[in-house]
Amino acid sequence: MDIDKWFNDKKVIQKSKKSYAHFDLRTNLVKARNYITNTKNVTHHSFYPFIQYDLKYKRFHKVKGKLQPDPKDRLICYSAHIDRCIYQHYSALLNEKYNLRLKRNGINNVPVAYRTDLYCNNIDIFNQAVNFIKKHRPCYVMIGDFTDFFGKINHQYLKKRLCDLLGVKRLDTDYYAVFKSITEYSTWALKDILKLNHLKDTRANRKKLNSKRRILPLSIFKANRSHIQRHNSNQGIPQGSSISACFANIYMLEIDKEINDLVKTYDGIYRHYSDDFIIILPTREDTQQNMEHIIQLFNYYHDKGLLQLQPEKTQVFKLDERDNLGNIGHLFNPKLNELKRNINFLGFSFDGKKVTLRGKTISKYHYRMKHKAAGIAKGYTKSKGFKGSDKLYKLYSERGANGKGNFLTYVQRAKKKFPDDPIDSPVKNNMVKIRRLLKKYKQN
């Protein structure tokens, strides 16, 4: 890797600058370069605890467009500033070797998440999948999701994959220090930090906390070490660090190759995005048996404690010559989900004939637009009118699609890939919709 070029890359430098407060002072790759490129420094570096919080994902009903009562929780950890710079540097070093290994293994197009050299997005990946389905129908399609992917990463297996990628029997002391900081990490709950700062857990107070030079004075940090929680399991890495995605991809290196090699023997394709995947097999006399072999391979990884499929999110479909799509999960496992009638992957949906945005994606968009409009209408006055409506239009209408862009910018890009499909139908005429919403909420 051209280290000088990497350290001078404006995008890389900008990414290393973070506004949040942590246990240490803010820094970036330019300031920290001499320290983080010295392997002895990294070997003996004392990594700070990750700050941890629960990120609640609001779930939406795809038809009613309403919030579901049970939000999803995801544990997010973010590292100290100097730690983040170390992770970014070692992630760059590992990604260079990882990208070369993918090409050598013939799986360069298989893992599509967190890639530094693929130069394509979700729209491109789903377009490739749909084109393959249309070209090879009739066919079988399997989509799946790994249970708690980051939380189930086996440390010994990850270490083995790292050694293999680096071509060593044992990790060098600096690499081992980074590996150990991610597998034997410690955390400090954000809610406890707020309490120590005499702040309630509100959005405004989190903003106030992040305006500090340090999130806690050193004296208070040292006096309250009892808040530090250590991760003592032999599996799981923190989701949110600058190297976790890189480690996750390396973890899947041999698994991706084994699955892809098997799928290719059946003339199919396999694509893997973080904890989601799609497998497409052209129909032959033995295709059902071939799909069973693939599922058996996933079961093998499960038995070895490496991966675990979520039955409720794993489906198998069959598309016939007339583009009729049927869910045939029961042929392989009675626990597989047969409620889904469309192939959903990377935010898109395919019913065998047309591509649309997923219903939940549209519902979330409409809910947020209505919620924002209701808040603005509540503050309506005759003298000032709808204060904040400009921002509403920029976020949720065609007015903001250019420039910085908004969700409709993404829809426009998707429409170019699927010009004959009703991609943009649910999000047309938003200027008119917003005006009607403001008027409606004002009257109420």
Side-chain angles (χ1 to χ4, degrees):
M1 184 176 78
D2 189 334
I3 195 71
D4 289 322
K5 185 178 179 180
W6 186 77
F7 272 103
N8 290 322
D9 189 315
K10 290 182 179 179
K11 289 184 179 178
V12 171
I13 294 169
Q14 193 61 37
K15 194 176 179 181
S16 75
K17 297 177 181 178
K18 300 294 182 182
S19 60
Y20 62 76
H22 215 285
F23 297 121
D24 64 339
L25 298 175
R26 292 172 178 81
T27 189
N28 57 54
L29 287 172
V30 175
K31 295 178 182 178
R33 177 174 178 171
N34 290 338
Y35 182 84
I36 67 176
T37 53
N38 185 315
T39 57
K40 289 184 179 179
N41 288 340
V42 176
T43 297
H44 299 291
H45 180 74
S46 295
F47 288 85
Y48 284 97
F50 285 89
I51 294 178
Q52 166 202 304
Y53 67 95
D54 288 321
L55 182 62
K56 293 188 181 296
Y57 283 87
K58 296 176 180 177
R59 298 172 67 245
F60 294 82
H61 193 284
K62 67 178 182 179
V63 177
K64 298 177 182 178
K66 292 182 179 180
L67 279 174
Q68 298 290 78
D70 53 336
K72 286 174 64 178
D73 285 358
R74 181 170 291 175
L75 198 64
I76 300 296
C77 301
Y78 59 101
S79 60
H81 298 285
I82 186 64
D83 298 351
R84 186 189 67 253
C85 290
I86 291 173
Y87 293 145
Q88 284 179 295
H89 180 221
Y90 279 80
S91 179
L93 295 173
L94 287 166
N95 269 321
E96 184 180 39
K97 294 182 179 296
Y98 171 76
N99 292 333
L100 290 172
R101 177 64 65 86
L102 290 178
K103 291 171 184 175
R104 198 170 81 194
N105 285 356
I107 57 171
N108 190 50
N109 294 319
V110 170
V112 293
Y114 321 123
R115 293 288 300 279
T116 57
D117 68 336
L118 205 56
Y119 309 114
C120 62
N121 55 36
N122 292 5
I123 302 169
D124 299 319
I125 302 303
F126 193 77
N127 185 48
Q128 292 169 16
V130 170
N131 286 341
F132 189 90
I133 290 171
K134 289 180 176 179
K135 185 178 179 180
H136 295 89
R137 60 182 175 238
C139 61
Y140 282 54
V141 181
M142 178 182 180
I143 58 173
D145 191 303
F146 301 126
T147 303
D148 188 19
F149 179 51
F150 284 86
K152 299 286 185 184
I153 286 179
N154 182 290
H155 295 169
Q156 285 303 114
Y157 184 77
L158 172 61
K159 188 179 178 182
K160 185 178 179 181
R161 296 276 65 82
L162 283 167
C163 287
D164 178 62
L165 181 64
L166 293 167
V168 296
K169 291 184 177 180
R170 294 182 63 183
L171 292 175
D172 290 342
T173 53
D174 56 329
Y175 276 94
Y176 180 71
V178 173
F179 168 79
K180 189 176 179 182
S181 75
I182 291 295
T183 53
E184 298 179 22
Y185 66 97
S186 58
T187 60
W188 194 317
L190 178 60
K191 60 181 182 179
D192 293 334
I193 294 170
L194 284 161
K195 287 180 182 177
L196 289 169
N197 280 276
H198 309 292
L199 296 171
K200 291 183 179 180
D201 191 357
T202 65
R203 189 173 182 178
N205 282 338
R206 288 190 181 198
K207 189 175 180 180
K208 185 177 180 180
L209 187 70
N210 282 323
S211 67
K212 293 175 175 287
R213 293 181 75 240
R214 288 182 189 267
I215 207 160
L216 285 176
L218 286 176
S219 58
I220 296 179
F221 174 87
K222 292 177 180 178
N224 288 273
R225 287 178 175 272
S226 59
H227 288 283
I228 298 175
Q229 298 294 316
R230 303 201 178 277
H231 182 76
N232 296 317
S233 174
N234 62 358
Q235 62 180 20
I237 63 175
Q239 190 166 353
S241 85
S242 300
I243 203 169
S244 292
C246 173
F247 275 5
N249 274 347
I250 293 169
Y251 183 82
M252 290 293 293
L253 253 175
E254 290 304 307
I255 296 173
D256 279 340
K257 185 180 186 307
E258 288 174 3
I259 295 172
N260 189 65
D261 287 350
L262 181 60
V263 170
K264 281 181 71 175
T265 62
Y266 306 140
D267 300 320
I269 65 167
Y270 162 58
R271 294 292 182 266
H272 156 229
Y273 187 99
S274 188
D275 55 354
D276 297 319
F277 68 86
I278 185 169
I279 292 171
I280 308 164
L281 301 182
T283 301
R284 304 189 310 204
E285 286 185 7
D286 54 354
T287 303
Q288 183 174 326
Q289 184 180 351
N290 295 341
M291 188 61 80
E292 287 175 353
H293 291 162
I294 292 169
I295 293 173
Q296 286 170 8
L297 183 57
F298 280 112
N299 291 336
Y300 166 76
Y301 299 135
H302 176 272
D303 294 340
K304 289 188 70 175
L306 301 180
L307 288 175
Q308 184 177 336
L309 282 180
Q310 288 195 55
E312 67 276 11
K313 289 189 177 181
T314 302
Q315 298 115 44
V316 182
F317 298 91
K318 185 176 182 180
L319 182 72
D320 65 20
E321 297 89 340
R322 296 183 179 181
D323 294 337
N324 296 311
L325 190 68
N327 194 320
I328 56 170
H330 69 278
L331 296 177
F332 307 94
N333 187 337
K335 293 182 179 180
L336 293 189
N337 188 335
E338 285 196 330
L339 298 176
K340 304 294 182 183
R341 292 290 172 259
N342 293 350
I343 298 168
N344 296 320
F345 187 60
L346 301 182
F348 293 93
S349 186
F350 182 59
D351 65 359
K353 298 179 177 65
K354 62 183 183 297
V355 174
T356 59
L357 292 170
R358 286 192 67 179
K360 287 184 178 180
T361 303
I362 298 299
S363 296
K364 186 185 296 185
Y365 168 77
H366 283 144
Y367 175 87
R368 288 176 174 171
M369 181 172 70
K370 291 176 182 178
H371 186 72
K372 185 80 173 174
I376 290 172
K378 194 174 182 180
Y380 172 83
T381 62
K382 287 185 178 181
S383 59
K384 294 183 179 180
F386 294 107
K387 189 177 179 181
S389 60
D390 284 345
K391 187 175 181 180
L392 174 65
Y393 282 110
K394 285 181 180 178
L395 285 173
Y396 298 101
S397 80
E398 297 79 1
R399 187 187 293 178
N402 300 317
K404 287 186 177 181
N406 57 22
F407 176 67
L408 297 183
T409 310
Y410 177 79
V411 174
Q412 289 170 2
R413 291 203 302 267
K415 183 65 177 177
K416 289 179 181 178
K417 285 288 183 181
F418 303 101
D420 300 323
D421 295 298
I423 290 284
D424 57 347
S425 295
V427 289
K428 283 185 175 180
N429 304 317
N430 288 279
M431 298 281 286
V432 175
K433 291 176 183 176
I434 289 173
R435 281 197 293 272
R436 287 174 178 170
L437 282 172
L438 290 172
K439 185 177 179 181
K440 173 186 173 182
Y441 290 129
K442 174 196 163 190
Q443 290 172 345
N444 291 338

